[in-house]
Amino acid sequence: METGLIDAACAPPGAERTVRRNNWWWTVVSGARRIITEQSSCSREWRGRTATVWKTLCPFWGEEYQVHLPPTFHSVAFYVMDEDALSRDDVIGKVCLTRDTLATHPKGFSGWARLMEVDPDEEVQGEIHLRLEVVPGTRACRLRCSVLEARDLAPKDRNGASDPFVRVRYNGRMQETSIVKKSCYPRWNETFEFELEEGAAEALCVEAWDWDLVSRNDFLGKVVFNVQRLWAAQQEEGWFRLQPDQSKRRREEGNLGSLQLEVRLRDETVLPSGCYQPLVQLLCREVKLGTQGPGQLIPLIEETTSTECRQDVATTLLKLFLGQGLAKDFLDLLFQLELGRTNEANTLFRSNSLASKSMESFLKVAGMRYLHGVLGPIIDKVFEEKKYVELDPSKVEVKDVGCSGLHRPQTEAEVLEQSAQTLRSHLGALLSALTRSVRACPAVVRATFRQLFRRVRERFPSAQDENLPFIAVTSFLCLRFISPAIMAPKLFHLRERHADARTSRTLLLLAKAVQNVGNMDTPASRAKEAWMEPLQPTVRQGVAQLKDFITKLVDIQEKEELDLQRTLSLQAPLVKEGPLFIHRTKGKGPLMSSSFKKLYFSLTTEALSFAKTPSSKCVNELNQWLSALRKVSINNTGLLCSYHPGVFRGDKWSCCHQRDKTDLGCDKTRSRVTLQEWNDPLDHDLEAQLIYRHLLGVEATLREKHQQLRAGPKTGAVPTGPGEALGDPLAQLLQVLQDLREAHRASLAGFPRSEPSRLLELQT
């Protein structure tokens, strides 16, 4: 089956699937100008890049990627580049982490990694198709090496291709294939023979090279074979990954700098859907009951979850219940649990509890498109204006203003007044957009906020706490959703690039103003920064607007909620949208820019359509499109195993030069490699597997808790007969964990070693 996090989402309800293994990688890059991340297996199957940080030797990105990888994953490389506007970008250095290295860090690799110099002879990619045979001869056996084809070779020439040929070396003899011009997918179908000597220890070396007329040939990779092993096997054929030339000694390089990374590799075996049904049904039943007894599972999961993994558990549970249509009920249960242990109103939902983390994940999954509609135009305006904005007198920079020849120094008061006016304009526009967006807010988000509003009002009914239900809503909507998006629009996919220093300061001040509005303009929030006082009239007006907005937002009846959900269910969920260039091949002439047409495509789980309306774009646009297309076609039984990366122009394919238009593709498809994003379809089985994995890690604590519950009450509340598990959710959970453990053992016993796929989580 295809890679993990998306597979179940596209599968029909109740569909059974074979066992699959999922690996993810996760990286955080902190710290340079631009990073290109490449996942290496037999080829560079995924490439992502951070935004460019200009004019600095100590950059910071804070970007995060989660990528699903195939079974052949073996390393991940980070290239730090210096972007140039006119010439080719310069490579500063790289960090390479192998799968074995990541396996030695179960909790993830975290720290500074030294940048290494990039050696062209080590920068190889692709595979070569060979057939090796030991054939009998009149005097001695002969070694026959057939060089058939290669794919995904590194492009070494400026035309984006190579002129590859192959050298075969054995026992002091060397033979070469013909040169295939302008191709990274060459086909040779040439055979060479060498005399074999009994007991000879010489290895057979097959090297791929890029031919150059003037300069020296470029190394493309090599494969080395043990002839003794080949002698025993008599014949071997297949695709072999090209290896770098590590025979040269690496010379001492200067200090190229360091890169701070957090990389975690997760490997999961996902069983068929039926194996997880007892676990899912048990958790769903607990959420539907909503009881708060000592044996309830959700409080036990929260109690046994450590702080460092609480966000992961919250996100997984949220997605699991969202797929079951119980996200609102799950969050409502967490609200009740949080309110039940809160005595001080000022600390409500201020900690990093399971309720707070789950609500954050819920807003990102269910409300991101809504956020883009409300906040996007304001963020775009701030980036386009690039105005100097500062309210703190200790940080004001006084500059000259006026016409040419009439310059005069701008006073500090003028700078502060202009800054306050700019911020009042942005804040007013944001509040107005928010007020008008009630109907645009997803029904499930409105219904969840309604439950939160009601629960807080029931828990704190006194008149002195009349603002508390509003503050509870804004603590998530403003403080944990809108304000973080304002301060880091790149991380919320609102902008393609990070903000410069001036724009960042404007966004920070705007986020502070939004936080003051979200805090309902309490005296405590004003006392922290007195220089924010010029915005107070707008903040007080915004508080009234926000309270009116929340009143309308939570005023959604059950019938209206069902109608809105029914309307949305009739619309296929949007997976990806943005610009693409299309080209229709005509004749044998060169590809001209005028022959490409720019259209704006929209991909849903049901159709791919296009229009002439512009939309968003980002630096990873191509990879996101490929990832989105792979996700929606994951259950297509007619998926091809190979394709042509070039075009058929004139009488041949541009990639491999084959003249048959119906010829099988020269490169393999990579449907396993996908980029995880907030709008991904849900994978119910994977979420259940992740919850199982977490519960397995705290199983000892759960069993200890179960023993305490059995020995604790003297009223006999916990049954002890053969039907004990029927009335004891914790006992049922422990039994489900045992059954899943046995299912995993059975699957591994008959699981082919070539099947696992991987997910890497990356943060930079």
Side-chain angles (χ1 to χ4, degrees):
M1 295 300 295
E2 305 300 335
T3 350
L5 289 178
I6 348 126
D7 190 3
C10 300
E16 289 290 329
R17 293 165 302 146
T18 57
V19 174
R20 55 194 168 100
R21 289 183 69 184
N22 300 278
N23 293 34
W24 319 281
W25 56 290
W26 169 69
T27 305
V28 183
V29 181
S30 293
R33 292 165 190 163
R34 171 165 73 90
I35 286 186
I36 292 181
T37 308
E38 294 186 343
Q39 175 267 321
S40 303
S41 56
C42 57
S43 61
R44 309 287 171 89
E45 293 185 348
W46 180 81
R47 299 179 185 224
R49 60 157 287 182
T50 66
T52 301
V53 181
W54 300 95
K55 300 178 181 179
T56 180
L57 295 177
C58 300
F60 174 82
W61 291 284
E63 299 189 23
E64 179 176 329
Y65 301 91
Q66 292 190 9
V67 187
H68 305 262
L69 303 179
T72 50
F73 158 74
H74 66 87
S75 67
V76 59
F78 301 86
Y79 293 80
V80 181
M81 314 286 290
D82 173 41
E83 182 168 339
D84 294 319
L86 300 178
S87 60
R88 179 180 296 182
D89 297 342
D90 301 317
V91 181
I92 299 175
K94 76 169 184 176
V95 173
C96 186
L97 299 175
T98 65
R99 183 172 62 186
D100 294 337
T101 301
L102 296 175
T104 60
H105 298 81
K107 295 185 178 181
F109 170 84
S110 179
W112 289 91
R114 183 181 177 185
L115 290 175
M116 306 299 293
E117 184 181 11
V118 175
D119 186 345
D121 288 344
E122 294 184 6
E123 299 301 300
V124 302
Q125 66 180 65
E127 296 173 303
I128 188 168
H129 188 188
L130 302 172
R131 182 170 59 247
L132 305 174
E133 301 172 275
V134 176
V135 296
T138 55
R139 290 183 299 176
C141 292
R142 300 184 65 83
L143 175 60
R144 180 178 296 165
C145 176
S146 298
V147 181
L148 304 178
E149 57 185 323
R151 61 189 179 193
D152 198 28
L153 298 178
K156 295 292 186 177
D157 299 334
R158 290 191 176 185
N159 58 13
S162 290
D163 303 322
F165 69 95
V166 172
R167 286 176 181 164
V168 184
R169 301 176 184 270
Y170 176 71
N171 202 20
R173 289 187 58 201
M174 180 185 72
Q175 301 186 58
E176 294 184 352
T177 66
S178 58
I179 299 170
V180 179
K181 295 291 187 67
K182 299 179 181 179
S183 176
C184 291
Y185 301 86
R187 294 187 181 183
W188 293 282
N189 292 318
E190 299 182 27
T191 301
F192 308 98
E193 290 190 356
F194 301 88
E195 285 191 6
L196 275 177
E197 298 180 6
E198 189 75 28
E202 185 76 17
L204 175 71
C205 182
V206 181
E207 300 174 346
W209 291 83
D210 167 50
W211 176 82
D212 288 319
L213 178 62
V214 179
S215 59
R216 70 180 183 89
N217 298 333
D218 299 313
F219 181 71
L220 295 177
K222 70 177 182 179
V223 184
V224 179
F225 295 93
N226 185 325
V227 176
Q228 294 298 323
R229 185 173 61 86
L230 183 61
W231 198 307
Q234 292 294 307
Q235 183 174 350
E236 186 172 358
E237 180 178 353
W239 286 94
F240 301 94
R241 182 168 59 87
L242 292 171
Q243 302 288 346
D245 184 8
Q246 297 177 335
S247 60
K248 296 186 304 181
R249 250 182 119 174
R250 178 181 292 274
R251 67 179 185 273
E252 288 293 324
E253 63 265 350
N255 183 14
L256 300 177
S258 299
L259 186 65
Q260 187 178 14
L261 299 167
E262 292 182 15
V263 186
R264 182 174 59 172
L265 175 65
R266 301 180 64 180
D267 188 353
E268 295 292 344
T269 300
V270 181
L271 302 173
S273 300
C275 298
Y276 298 106
Q277 286 305 306
L279 176 61
V280 174
Q281 291 173 1
L282 182 61
L283 294 175
C284 289
R285 188 183 66 190
E286 289 292 305
V287 169
K288 290 176 182 177
L289 292 175
T291 56
Q292 298 186 39
Q296 190 189 12
L297 298 183
I298 301 300
L300 283 176
I301 292 176
E302 180 175 17
E303 181 182 340
T304 56
T305 301
S306 63
T307 304
E308 61 182 6
C309 64
R310 189 167 294 156
Q311 182 65 72
D312 291 340
V313 173
T315 302
T316 303
L317 282 172
L318 187 277
K319 288 184 176 180
L320 178 69
F321 290 118
L322 196 63
Q324 301 297 322
L326 294 173
K328 181 185 68 174
D329 305 271
F330 168 62
L331 292 170
D332 185 37
L333 176 58
L334 294 181
F335 295 155
Q336 296 180 60
L337 295 172
E338 181 89 359
L339 289 165
R341 58 174 176 260
T342 301
N343 297 319
E344 180 58 46
N346 293 332
T347 63
L348 184 61
F349 299 118
R350 299 290 174 166
S351 64
N352 290 322
S353 62
L354 189 63
S356 299
K357 294 295 185 182
S358 298
M359 193 63 180
E360 284 183 35
S361 299
F362 171 69
L363 289 175
K364 290 180 180 179
V365 173
M368 190 68 81
R369 197 167 299 280
Y370 167 71
L371 176 75
H372 282 212
V374 173
L375 193 57
I378 287 89
I379 297 296
D380 289 341
K381 186 177 180 181
V382 173
F383 270 78
E384 291 165 3
E385 289 182 346
K386 294 185 180 296
K387 290 184 177 180
Y388 176 72
V389 175
E390 184 54 73
L391 293 181
D392 187 352
S394 64
K395 297 181 179 180
V396 170
E397 296 178 5
V398 178
K399 297 184 178 181
D400 290 346
V401 297
C403 302
S404 178
L406 299 175
H407 290 281
R408 63 173 178 81
Q410 189 179 32
T411 64
E412 180 180 300
E414 289 176 328
V415 173
L416 295 175
E417 178 54 34
Q418 289 179 5
S419 300
Q421 185 176 351
T422 300
L423 287 173
R424 283 194 291 264
S425 175
H426 292 321
L427 182 59
L430 174 57
L431 292 170
S432 297
L434 197 62
T435 304
R436 297 190 303 267
S437 68
V438 173
R439 295 290 298 177
C441 187
V444 65
V445 176
R446 294 183 62 186
T448 302
F449 277 132
R450 177 194 62 199
Q451 291 299 105
L452 173 62
F453 193 89
R454 289 179 178 176
R455 296 298 184 189
V456 175
R457 188 166 56 185
E458 292 170 0
R459 175 66 179 83
F460 298 96
S462 62
Q464 64 180 7
D465 295 322
E466 62 178 355
N467 279 340
L468 202 55
F470 295 96
I471 294 177
V473 173
T474 59
S475 67
F476 292 113
L477 183 63
C478 295
L479 276 62
R480 293 176 181 262
F481 194 41
I482 295 179
S483 289
I486 293 174
M487 289 188 289
K490 171 73 168 62
L491 304 185
F492 283 75
H493 306 288
L494 287 163
R495 294 292 298 184
E496 177 184 355
R497 298 181 179 274
H498 292 296
D500 56 27
R502 174 177 291 189
T503 305
S504 294
R505 183 59 180 172
T506 304
L507 293 174
L508 176 62
L509 294 174
L510 179 59
K512 287 179 177 291
V514 172
Q515 289 175 352
N516 285 345
V517 176
N519 288 325
M520 295 291 149
D521 190 31
T522 57
S525 64
R526 292 199 304 269
K528 293 179 182 177
E529 294 161 334
W531 42 265
M532 293 285 290
E533 188 64 31
L535 299 182
Q536 287 311 117
T538 307
V539 169
R540 283 190 288 270
Q541 182 182 356
V543 169
Q545 288 179 274
L546 193 59
K547 291 179 70 172
D548 181 63
F549 164 74
I550 293 173
T551 302
K552 296 177 181 178
L553 186 73
V554 302
D555 186 20
I556 178 174
Q557 304 302 319
E558 297 289 345
K559 183 179 182 304
E560 184 182 1
E561 178 186 351
L562 292 174
D563 290 342
L564 287 173
Q565 289 180 346
R566 191 177 297 111
T567 301
L568 291 175
S569 65
L570 297 177
Q571 304 172 1
L574 183 67
V575 178
K576 176 69 179 169
E577 61 180 352
L580 288 175
F581 290 90
I582 63 172
H583 175 266
R584 178 170 293 180
T585 305
K586 294 180 180 180
K588 299 183 180 181
L591 293 175
M592 306 296 293
S593 59
S594 58
S595 60
F596 288 88
K597 186 176 182 180
K598 187 176 183 180
L599 295 174
Y600 297 88
F601 283 76
S602 176
L603 176 67
T604 69
T605 54
E606 297 179 357
L608 176 65
S609 58
F610 63 87
K612 296 182 179 181
T613 307
S615 183
S616 62
K617 62 179 179 179
C618 74
V619 293
N620 291 310
E621 191 74 19
L622 176 60
N623 292 303
Q624 289 182 349
W625 270 109
L626 292 173
S627 178
L629 288 167
R630 289 166 182 166
K631 292 169 187 175
V632 299
S633 60
I634 198 131
N635 289 308
N636 182 354
T637 56
L639 281 177
L640 300 176
C641 296
S642 61
Y643 77 110
H644 286 285
V647 295
F648 193 84
R649 307 192 68 251
D651 60 350
K652 63 182 179 181
W653 288 100
S654 62
C655 47
C656 58
H657 300 173
Q658 297 305 302
R659 298 185 180 278
D660 185 0
K661 191 173 184 179
T662 61
D663 186 53
L664 291 176
C666 56
D667 196 10
K668 63 180 181 180
T669 57
R670 297 172 175 85
S671 57
R672 290 179 180 270
V673 184
T674 55
L675 178 66
Q676 183 181 354
E677 297 186 274
W678 57 268
N679 57 346
D680 280 348
L682 300 173
D683 187 341
H684 312 97
D685 294 346
L686 181 59
E687 307 306 336
Q689 167 63 24
L690 294 177
I691 287 298
Y692 160 72
R693 180 66 61 190
H694 169 72
L695 294 174
L696 201 62
V698 297
E699 183 181 15
T701 306
L702 292 175
R703 290 193 179 278
E704 183 180 347
K705 186 69 174 178
H706 185 238
Q707 293 299 326
Q708 294 175 0
L709 292 174
R710 288 172 59 91
K714 297 181 180 180
T715 57
V718 181
T720 57
E724 172 187 16
L726 296 177
D728 186 355
L730 185 51
Q732 293 181 41
L733 178 62
L734 294 173
Q735 183 60 48
V736 167
L737 295 181
Q738 178 63 30
D739 294 341
L740 280 172
R741 186 188 293 108
E742 294 299 327
H744 274 279
R745 288 174 182 169
S747 70
L748 290 175
F751 195 71
R753 300 303 297 174
S754 60
E755 281 298 317
S757 58
R758 285 159 174 71
L759 171 80
L760 250 178
E761 299 178 343
L762 303 177
Q763 286 186 345
T764 62

